[in-house]
């Protein structure tokens, strides 16, 4: 059984930065990802990383501002968020799957393809 624990959320002013962490325990991860859900909205894809080669993918809304990474030694995934905007306000969820999809696969951004989920961490961007 895979367990995911997020940390690093908080309140930040527009233009600021935050770094989220996701500790992965139990099992093996082929891919992990970040999703987010804003109040009254559906959960949406943010970014994903394939663990064996570090291949990444980003949603257009965060491309160039967010960076996903992973530390294989500590089994931790990160999301460095820079130039934060009020519309980035959401609960951010860590997700994992034992599968490693092809680089161009739509499954990589499909929340239904991730079997394991963390509890979420709140990110609020406000002045």
């Amino acid at each position: 059984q895979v367990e995911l624990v997020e940390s690093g959320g908080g309140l930040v002013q527009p233009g600021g930065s935050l770094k989220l962490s996701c500790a992965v325990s139990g099992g093996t991860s082929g891919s992990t990802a970040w999703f987010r859900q804003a109040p009254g909205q559906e959960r949406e894809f943010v970014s994903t990383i394939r663990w064996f080669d570090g291949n990444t993918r980003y949603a257009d809304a965060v491309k160039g501002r967010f960076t996903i990474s992973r530390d294989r030694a500590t089994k931790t995934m990160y999301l460095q968020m820079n130039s934060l905007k009020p519309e980035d306000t959401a609960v951010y969820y860590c997700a994992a799957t034992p599968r490693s999809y092809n680089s161009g696969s739509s499954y990589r951004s499909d929340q239904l393809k991730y079997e394991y989920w963390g509890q979420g961490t709140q990110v609020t961007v406000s002045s």
Side-chain angles (χ1 to χ4, degrees):
Q1 183 71 16
V2 176
E3 183 178 0
L4 307 173
V5 179
E6 304 99 333
S7 61
L11 173 64
V12 63
Q13 293 187 342
S17 298
L18 276 178
K19 187 173 185 177
L20 305 183
S21 300
C22 174
V24 183
S25 61
T28 58
S29 290
S31 300
T32 50
W34 291 99
F35 290 81
R36 67 186 182 185
Q37 187 168 20
Q41 298 187 23
E42 294 186 353
R43 189 159 56 187
E44 65 176 5
F45 169 75
V46 175
S47 184
T48 186
I49 188 165
R50 197 164 58 190
W51 279 58
F52 82 91
D53 64 354
N55 186 274
T56 61
R57 176 182 291 182
Y58 296 92
D60 288 344
V62 307
K63 204 171 292 183
R65 300 188 298 122
F66 291 10
T67 302
I68 192 171
S69 61
R70 87 303 188 218
D71 184 325
R72 296 171 71 173
T74 62
K75 295 189 71 176
T76 304
M77 176 179 67
Y78 302 98
L79 186 68
Q80 177 67 48
M81 304 185 294
N82 298 329
S83 303
L84 282 161
K85 306 175 182 180
E87 51 264 44
D88 294 317
T89 296
V91 177
Y92 283 70
Y93 295 92
C94 172
T97 175
R99 300 173 180 81
S100 297
Y101 297 114
N102 291 337
S103 298
S105 173
S106 62
Y107 289 172
R108 299 184 72 192
S109 58
D110 183 351
Q111 59 182 302
L112 296 179
K113 299 303 182 184
Y114 291 85
E115 292 89 343
Y116 305 102
W117 291 83
Q119 293 300 308
T121 185
Q122 176 70 47
V123 172
T124 303
V125 185
S126 176
S127 54

